[in-house]
Amino acid sequence: MMFKRQLLFSVFLVICCLPSVSVGQADRLVLPPDVRLVIDVSGSMKLNDPKNLRQPAVDLLVQLLPEGSKSGIWTFGRWVNMLVKHQKVDDAWREGADSKSDQINSLGLFTNIGDALEKAAYGINPTNNKYRSSIILLTDGMVDISKDRGVNRREWRRIVDEVLPRLEDAGVVIHTIALSDNADIDLLNKLSLSTDGISAVAHSADDLMRIFLKAFDASAPMEQVPLSEEGFLIDASVEEFTALIFRKNKKELTQLVGPDQQVMTAKSSSKYIKWYRAAKYDLITVKQPLQGRWQVLAEMDPDSRITVVSNLNLRVSALPNNILKGQQESVSLVLQEDGATIAREEFLSLMDISAELIGGKDEFDLRELWSQTLETTYPPTNGVFDFELPTFNKEGIYQLTITVDGKSFIREFSHQFTTRQPFSADLKEDVRGGQTSYTLTARVFDTDVVVNDTKIVATIISPNGRKKIRPLRASGLDTWKTTIRPQSEGEYIAKIKIRGKNEDGGDFEQNIDPIRFNYSIDQGFIEEEEPFFEEEEPEPEPTEEPAPTPEPVEEDEKNEDEVGSEKPQEEMPGWLLYSVLGLSNVLLFGLGFMLFRKILRGGNNEEILDQFSEANVEQEVEEAAKAEAEDELEEEPPMEDIDPVVDDIDPEPEPVREVTETFDELGEDDLDPEGEMEMPMDDDLMADVEEVVEVPDPDPGPDPEPSAETEVIEMPMEEAGVETPVEEEDSMDALDDLDQMAVDAEEASEAPVEEEEEEEEEEDMVSAMLKAQGLDLAEDELDDAISSLIDELENDDSFEDLGEEPPEK
């Protein structure tokens, strides 16, 4: 039955894939891998690998190598030994490798990395290479072939200048794994990055196994199908699958359940199943598997995977293992049947193709950054799907996963790579003669840089804001160094500028992202790492609006006054204020009219009566109401009347002097303790550095004199003797400061100006209304008049006695 299903599926593929197109098969087809393991057995391994974790890691790779590939194992100390013969991988080769892996020890006297690389690279023909050659180098030490330091330095240069270029020309990819931070990380990085290999440091057994597996995936990529808690899907085209299951519980018994619900374990006996159980993982190979969904009954580690051998393959264009920050990569993929690209529209339109990119600062915190679903309704006529990855703007680890779901089958491709800056820098403690200093080291990761033509300068900003320039000296080992002696605790910032030439002869300038360090007497320098992911601000919790207080139905004025006195006083609205003023003016007008009536009882005064005739009164009231309406419309003062107060701002900052002294004029006194000449610096590079010297804080205290062994070149302003223009960046900083001062001044003056204008506006309103009614008297005069009027009215009872209105003239 299974045979019939496989036959039908194969016929379906033949029908769907005709006609097929072979697009760039020389580039698309994956060559069989040739993986060469080079293992350090020097005596220092007793300290850095006391449990000999190299052995199980090598055993895993031996078991994972596919049939038809080639491999060999070399060990090295002072001498290089071929532990397992380099030849095609089969069951006999695996058995021989298993029997000899226990000879991996720690008995070597030196660390002869150069000779080991040359011996392991034998027989590689760059002009007719039928294999994809890779070297996986595992070491914990430095280049060490002699007790003479000078001999070791010359050997280091021979590896970089002679051995490495030959391996590059031969197309060999070198993956390096360091078992200690004391290893020569600079050399290992140079070997890997120059050949686009993986470079990593293993600090634990889990790290070593994971990095070994990562190097293997890069050296011998294999077809995969997705694995989840629900299991994995095997289609009729799969001839064989291999399940690598890492157990979280080392003692747990892994079970494999087929589509027919048959349960298999490490004790199962079948000619179709090969089960290899190690201390931390199970490696299960099943030939001629049943079609359908399989399940794994075990608590699995995320590194678990299912690889398949099939005539239906997903091929993806070669992607780099290392990407420089700011680069963008394009991806091409095809589906192939027996090596021929499938281009038939009826077949490709059934596919669901998706791509996902995750990333993070390290492999233990990877989050989704980008995803895309490819259009398959109208697939490309040549069967090649192309898309662009986003620009990589942050340093870190990224992993691309492409999934093709063909309904009856699933294929998955996964690739991990590292993004770096072209240059990097770090600080390390250095104790000499009982005096502690810190060495700032700059490294180059861009293989297109001419090291001998590269010059580097650092501007160090101390916690008190002082800036000092430090030229970085070439060390002779393709790094640049300078010494920093902290004067106070706090944050230090290093801004590094690089200038040099590329391999094609072009000039370049590069700025490293500012490096921030916190210094304390107890802990020394600790680098402040920029977070890979931006911190998301927590959403504010919704607040419930208070229920409205019910108004009392009946309440006397006394209670209302008492309640009002308990509440904080609120500012009176403008319209209410103007209404009160208007009513007050009407009341005053009425009282004045009655006053004049009383005066006129004793005599005739036609001129006064004419001024208060009914027509005039109505006209005055209309004019007062009109003025009140106009003033109410102009409640907000115009913006042009509010000018910020910036008279006290100094428009021009004091000019800052820079040092332009070059290093071409240095003499013998400027040699470092080891007799190396300071790297000459050109004027342009020094001029491009940010502000070199700032005015020191009052009485900062004398700086300690550097020791003879760690002499640092200082360049005070007085010795430079030259005053240069302020750099553009500093000028921009000064302009930013002026802008901020203006904003602060405006904010400081805005509130009181508005309050004064409102008060002036209210006073103008009152004056206008009083003037319109003929009552524009002085405040004390107006008060006296009103008081006199009230007194007279209280004393005058003639109207009440007569019971009639006063006579009119």
Side-chain angles (χ1 to χ4, degrees), residues 502-519:
N502 295 317
E503 291 289 350
D504 58 4
D507 297 329
F508 76 90
E509 291 186 5
Q510 179 73 41
N511 292 329
I512 297 180
D513 292 343
I515 307 173
R516 299 176 181 272
F517 303 91
N518 270 321
Y519 173 75

Side-chain angles (χ1 to χ4, degrees), residues 340-396:
T341 300
I342 301 173
R344 189 168 180 81
E345 181 178 354
E346 290 84 353
F347 181 79
L348 296 179
S349 61
L350 299 175
M351 305 296 106
D352 290 331
I353 305 177
S354 61
E356 180 189 51
L357 186 69
I358 59 177
K361 202 70 175 180
D362 53 48
E363 299 181 19
F364 304 103
D365 185 21
L366 300 180
R367 308 181 194 176
E368 182 178 344
L369 302 175
W370 170 90
S371 63
Q372 180 175 336
T373 300
L374 276 63
E375 173 60 42
T376 58
T377 305
Y378 302 100
T381 56
N382 61 357
V384 181
F385 293 87
D386 299 302
F387 62 92
E388 296 285 336
L389 293 177
T391 304
F392 299 94
N393 292 322
K394 291 186 177 181
E395 295 181 84

Side-chain angles (χ1 to χ4, degrees), residues 766-779 781-782:
V766 175
S767 300
M769 297 179 67
L770 292 176
K771 183 177 181 180
Q773 310 229 5
L775 301 175
D776 53 338
L777 303 174
E779 183 177 357
E781 296 177 354
L782 182 60

